[in-house]
Amino acid sequence: MEVKKKTTLKILFRQFAISLIVMLLIGIIVPFGLESLAVNAGLATRADQSELQVKEIIPTLRVAPDITKVVIPQGCGYLILDKNFNELYSNMDQEEKATALLYAKGEYMEYATGKQFLLIVREKEFCVLRYYIGSQFTISWLPEYVPSPDTLTFILMAVNSLLVIIVLTARLAKKLRTQLTPLFEATAEVAEQNLDFEVGHSKIKEFEEVLISFSDMKDNLKISLERQWKTEQMQREQIAALAHDLKTPLTVLQGNADLITETNLDDEQRLYVGYIVESSHQMQGYIQILIDISRAAISYELHIENVNFPEFMQQMLGYMESLCRTKKIRLRINIVSLPQTLKFDRVLIERAIMNVISNGLDYSPEGATLYVEAQSKDSFVKISVTDQGRGFSQEALQHAQERFYMEDQSRNSKLHFGMGLYVTSSIMEQHNGQLILENSNQTGGAKVTLKLPC
């Protein structure tokens, strides 16, 4: 995609700021204009009109024998007091009269309100006038239902300002979201694991640059995944070919083992030959599974069955003892409260256990002890294998269950292709179980635990 000259976010927000200022000014000016129109039409008074009218009639109020005969400006109130501040007559309500009395006595504290008081000293009386600074409606009944023109003007200003902010902000948000739509669509396609699509464009320069980067990332990811797929395809083919090639020497091994059984052997020799025959059959099953998975590129179909678990473990212990004896490793077994039956794929769980045993033997020094513990706890059966090797490094604890992972620095592997723990972990996942890797505090070596649900 080619970057063309487009609107930048800086220009977009500058336009928004200018529009906001202009519209706010209009929203403020319009209510003032409406108030001016109302004043010119005679519907409302000017803000200082009451004050001017009061000042005009002050001389008259000082000498008029009867204040009630004087024309008081509209909206003004009066309180007539004798020289002892006793009320004579008034047109104010009780609250205003109380405030006016305080004003006459000099005890009233003025506040920043539109209500004002004025004291006029007459020959035998005091006159307190109450008037308002601010515009007032000339229609007598209107103040009962509508705020004063000044208050109404400020309300309209606030409402206009709020509406301007909401409308302009919503408009900007809509515009930004429209320009971000291609990015949302692109991320949705990637989330659906689809990389075969064209990334859209935006009229905003910064968004367009993000879309170009996203498009490049998508293309690179597609190339990387295709390369990875081809690599995995080659690996599957190589594994299948290797597994197929292993069948020939294994067949020779089985044939020779069968021939040996036909000779004169003592009991111990027959036991060892029996181990060889059983292990070769076991290896043949593993190889066939490996061929099926690699060539068909599908998961192995589980064959779940009810297995007599104590009997199964006794059989596995026989295999363990044979391997340990061969590698001159001592075996220590601790079995606690196993369930009588357990549902799992016998072939796969057997393979998982032997993978862990083989892994422990590979990293155990000669003459060391391999500890195997099996127990039922918290609705799980846990089979733990602990060796006396150097243990897992921190990197191995994080990556040892990955396919083809090898770390010779921490655990001196010899003929190891990084598949044992990966395969074991896959088997445990198929059984809704878990493979746990850790280092033992007691032996200092690695501790691998198979966790199967009961």
Side-chain angles (χ1 to χ4, degrees), residues 282-299:
Q282 187 179 13
M283 288 177 61
Q284 189 174 28
Y286 294 162
I287 291 172
Q288 189 58 49
I289 292 172
L290 191 58
I291 291 173
D292 293 340
I293 293 176
S294 300
R295 286 186 172 175
I298 58 173
S299 299

Side-chain angles (χ1 to χ4, degrees), residues 82-101:
D82 61 19
K83 294 296 184 176
N84 294 322
F85 299 102
N86 296 314
E87 179 185 345
L88 299 177
Y89 53 93
S90 174
N91 65 348
M92 299 182 188
D93 59 28
Q94 292 298 325
E95 183 179 353
E96 288 183 335
K97 285 192 289 187
T99 305
L101 180 61

Side-chain angles (χ1 to χ4, degrees), residues 50 160 168 213 215 253 298 386:
S50 294
N160 288 345
L168 291 183
S213 299
S215 180
L253 179 63
I298 58 173
T386 308

